[in-house]
Structure formats: structure tokens, C-alpha cells
Amino acid sequence: MSKKIYVCGGGASGMCAAIYAARNGAKVCIIEKNDCLGKKLSMTGNGRCNLTNLNMSEDCYNAAARSRMKDWLGTYGAEDVICFFKSLGVVVKSEDGYIYPVSGQAKTVVDALKNEIKRLGVEVVYKEQLKSVAGLEDGSLEIVTDKSRYQADRSIIAVGSLSGVKSTMSTGDGYYICKKLGMTIKDTFPALVGFKCEEDEYLPEKGVRCDARISFILGSEVLSSEQGELQITSDGISGIPVMQASRDVIRFVEEKKPVYAAIDFFPDYDENDFACLKKDMLRLKDERTIEEFLLGFANQGVTDMILARMKISKTMKMKNISDSFAECILDSYRNLKIKIEGSYGYQASQVTAGGVSIAEVGSDFSFNKNRNIYVIGELLDVDGRCGGYNLQFAFTSGSIAGCASSL
């Protein structure tokens, strides 16, 4: 007799779980609090949807999850995701290992998942918010929403985390539901997120995008260091390197520790190369102004920011500046320090660090104290780097739980 499974949450992990369970012959119903499936998924990757990454490793996830991720990725890895979407008719391409749909549209991915859900006869209930899941004496489960009650053989909780814009209704209610079931919840923080800087830090009003290495420092300790396209705005910093580092930095920032960002705008130069560059630049000390002297040295927005922070007039003549002070100006491009005030919060973050402890679930994502209940996706204390790693975990956990719950 086929199992009756309720998948609570119609995001990436929930839709994947529903498809695998239905393919195995289960009767599946998705309960979704939005008016459509895959709302957050449709916004990922700037609308392009980075599905996975060929350079897949457990080391790309938070330290607490790595030992478990090795086994889970061994069960369902990047190639499995590619094959899954091939089965849905989604053609993918690799961009330096980053896997995207050829269409370049996240909508393609969402529509393919929805079409398969419809083809498999999966029932979908919209605009109902999960309130609780409870085991009954006969071994079945009672699923309670804000509007109805349902009885199921199995339940897969995939209601997402706190991260996401308001329209995705990412309220984090799943943590409360899981805590009522007796699960341990690790402290949560916004991750893959940008940072706000203190008000007295001079930052460019029009914003700047440039390649740089950024290191986050607490005292004498380097918390994290990343290189890539940095975005500096009028009130903070973001971009891929900041978001990658945020996973290791956010806890200290949220605890109001004195964290600084040290920025190197010449990340591909070693000390000797940069010393030679400075020597060449100092030969240009003549009648030209500082602004003219630095015109071709770096991004104009970066130069304006550095000169303003050092309170140096752009019209000052280079011939009136000592070699040592000129070197000091050039050195500032290698170690510009900015005090971090806080993050842009859950609404601006891609994922949430923390959540349901993975010690609470088995290898198939079933709850240790009730094997008829499964927890998957962002609810769990698993977060990965930018680049398809978090969607990989959504599909890994969804596929494993979907298959296991249908047996």
C-alpha cells in the first residue's frame, strides 16, 4: 500500500522530495504557504539559478556539517543533480564548474519542477501555513496548518529558514515547529550576506565595483579572507568575496565584536611586485596633481575614497609631497581598513547559518525520535559557499528524504 506523504514547503528541497517520493509510488501532497511553488528559487543566482557546482566537496560547507556532507554528497552529488534536471528536460551548461540552465532563467527550473509535480499527480495546497506536526498513537502523523488538519503516514518538513525577502514569507517558523518536536536548534545568523559599515567611515556615494582581496580581522586574528569582485556602497560592502566570508564572520559581528575589513586592491601583486610598482610610480613625481598622478593607478572611485579618508586635497602637487608620504598613499591601496557595524540582515541574506542540529536526523534525514518525520533543506544546520552549494544540499536532502519516506 502506497504511503501518504505530506511535504510541508514548496521550495527547492520540498519540490525535489515530492518528485522523488511520487516517482516511487507514494501519494504526495505539498502544503505551501505562498500562492505559488518555488518563489525563492525563482530569485536565486540573480534570476539565473546556479543549480550546483562540479567542484563539489564537503569542505565547501560549515564545519559542523562536513562529516555528514561527505556521506550525503556521496549518495547524491553534482552529477546526480545534472541527471535529475536532464530527466525534467532542463539542459544545463558549465561556467568554470558552475552549473546553470542553458536558458539562463531560474523560471525554467521552477517551471520544470512544477510540470513534473503536475505530471506525477502530486496534490498542492496553497496559502496554508504549517503550525505543527505530531505523532499519533497508531503511528500516523497529524499535520496542522492555520486552516486545516491532515493525517499522513510520513511528513517531510521543508519550510525553509529566516533568509529571503518578505515576499518569500521566510519567517523561520519551522524552527519553532521542530523545537516543539524535541529537536535541538542551533543559534541562527544571516549568512551569505553583505555588511554595513560604521557611519563615520567614508564610503563612495555612487558605489564602486572592483577586484580585491578582503580579509576580516578581529584583534590579531584573520577570521576569513576571500578574493573577487567587491562592491562598496555608500553604507557598506558586499559582493561574492564578502558573502563567502560572511559565514565565518557573522557570529562575531552579531555579537558586536570589533571586526574590521582589510581591503587589498592589488590582490595579484606580491610584496616585491608592489614594491617595484611603487618605485615606477614615484618616478612620476612632478608638476601633476595627486589626482592626475593616481589617475591610472586604480579605480577612480577607490582613489576618491582613499584621498578623502586621508584628508588629502586632489589638487596638491606631487612635487610638494615627500617620497615617504607618497609611498604611504600608495600603500593604503593594499590595506584599507573599514570598521564593520552589522549585517544587512536575514532579508538580504541568501541562507541562514544554524538551525536544526544535524545530530537530530539520520542518514536519510528522518528525525531520530520519530522516523516518520523528515527534516530537509535550509531548516538544518547546513550552509555552503556561494556557487550552487546550497541548492545542491536542497536537492541532496530532498532526493534522499523523498526516496526514503516512500518506502
Side-chain angles (χ1 to χ4, degrees):
M1 186 175 179
S2 60
K3 301 291 184 183
K4 179 62 177 177
I5 301 171
Y6 277 83
V7 178
C8 305
S13 61
M15 286 191 287
C16 183
I19 289 170
Y20 274 96
R23 283 180 176 180
N24 271 6
K27 293 176 62 179
V28 183
C29 177
I30 298 175
I31 299 175
E32 168 56 43
K33 60 184 173 183
N34 283 297
D35 58 2
C36 63
L37 297 175
K39 199 158 191 176
K40 185 176 177 182
L41 181 60
S42 67
M43 303 175 186
T44 61
N46 292 322
R48 294 183 64 209
C49 204
N50 185 185
L51 294 169
T52 184
N53 199 304
L54 295 179
N55 300 311
M56 187 57 58
S57 167
E58 67 273 13
D59 293 334
C60 296
Y61 294 86
N62 58 307
R66 285 173 193 164
S67 60
R68 302 294 298 277
M69 283 305 305
K70 184 176 183 179
D71 293 334
W72 285 326
L73 290 172
T75 301
Y76 195 93
E79 291 296 337
D80 297 294
V81 170
I82 293 170
C83 289
F84 173 58
F85 280 99
K86 183 178 180 181
S87 77
L88 302 179
V90 177
V91 181
V92 302
K93 63 179 179 179
S94 171
E95 296 181 8
D96 297 323
Y98 296 74
I99 302 299
Y100 293 92
V102 166
S103 67
Q105 297 174 299
K107 184 178 183 299
T108 299
V109 174
V110 175
D111 286 347
L113 291 166
K114 287 162 63 176
N115 289 342
E116 181 70 356
I117 284 167
K118 182 178 179 181
R119 187 187 72 79
L120 291 167
V122 174
E123 181 185 358
V124 183
V125 176
Y126 294 106
K127 295 185 177 181
E128 288 196 22
Q129 186 167 357
L130 180 67
K131 292 299 182 182
S132 67
V133 177
L136 301 177
E137 289 185 3
D138 63 359
S140 64
L141 302 172
E142 182 180 54
I143 316 294
V144 179
T145 72
D146 57 346
K147 297 178 181 177
S148 308
R149 292 175 181 268
Y150 304 93
Q151 192 164 348
D153 296 310
R154 307 275 169 81
S155 175
I156 300 174
I157 305 176
V159 294
S161 63
L162 283 160
S163 297
V165 296
K166 284 185 178 180
S167 62
T168 64
M169 293 183 69
S170 301
T171 57
D173 46 305
Y175 301 126
Y176 173 72
I177 292 166
C178 290
K179 188 174 182 178
K180 284 205 304 183
L181 284 166
M183 300 183 200
T184 301
I185 312 298
K186 298 291 186 67
D187 290 342
T188 61
F189 301 93
L192 300 188
V193 67
F195 291 110
K196 293 184 290 185
C197 300
E198 290 202 340
E199 290 184 4
D200 59 355
E201 294 282 1
Y202 178 85
L203 298 173
E205 289 186 8
K206 295 182 179 179
V208 170
R209 286 175 180 258
C210 59
D211 188 59
R213 173 163 287 278
I214 184 164
S215 301
F216 290 89
I217 300 168
L218 176 61
S220 60
E221 180 184 1
V222 177
L223 301 175
S224 184
S225 186
E226 296 282 347
Q227 182 176 336
E229 187 182 60
L230 175 68
Q231 297 176 33
I232 308 175
T233 63
S234 60
D235 69 343
I237 52 176
S238 60
I240 296 297
V242 174
M243 296 175 76
Q244 299 285 37
S246 68
R247 298 165 54 239
D248 300 316
V249 177
I250 187 65
R251 287 173 170 80
F252 301 99
V253 173
E254 294 291 314
E255 292 168 0
K256 301 301 180 184
K257 298 288 179 63
V259 176
Y260 285 85
I263 305 172
D264 179 1
F265 293 103
F266 287 83
D268 297 325
Y269 283 69
D270 61 23
E271 291 302 319
N272 185 59
D273 290 338
F274 194 71
C276 292
L277 177 61
K278 288 192 295 182
K279 187 175 180 180
D280 290 339
M281 288 294 294
L282 289 175
R283 294 193 181 104
L284 303 177
K285 281 185 61 185
D286 52 25
E287 292 291 331
R288 72 191 73 194
T289 64
I290 290 181
E291 183 176 34
E292 293 167 339
F293 174 72
L294 295 170
L295 182 63
F297 187 67
N299 181 292
Q300 186 63 52
V302 172
T303 293
D304 290 345
M305 176 176 63
I306 285 175
L307 293 179
R309 291 169 69 90
M310 296 183 74
K311 296 183 170 59
I312 299 173
S313 171
K314 297 179 183 180
T315 61
M316 185 180 293
K317 297 287 186 180
M318 285 304 300
K319 68 178 184 179
N320 298 324
I321 296 176
S322 67
D323 284 359
S324 60
F325 188 56
E327 278 199 62
C328 181
I329 295 172
L330 298 177
D331 283 336
S332 64
Y333 287 82
R334 292 282 272 178
N335 190 28
L336 178 70
K337 289 187 177 179
I338 298 176
K339 179 70 167 59
I340 303 300
E341 180 183 57
S343 79
Y344 286 117
Y346 287 108
Q347 289 186 29
S349 67
Q350 290 188 17
V351 297
T352 297
V356 176
S357 171
I358 56 176
E360 300 288 356
V361 298
S363 59
D364 61 356
F365 295 95
S366 61
F367 178 34
N368 295 333
K369 295 179 181 178
N370 188 331
R371 294 296 183 183
N372 291 327
I373 299 172
Y374 296 74
V375 183
I376 62 173
E378 286 189 43
L379 264 181
L380 291 166
D381 181 22
V382 177
D383 63 277
R385 292 172 61 84
C386 289
Y389 298 99
N390 290 292
L391 274 185
Q392 172 69 55
F393 180 63
F395 300 132
T396 293
S397 59
S399 64
I400 294 173
C403 290
S405 64
S406 63
L407 299 178

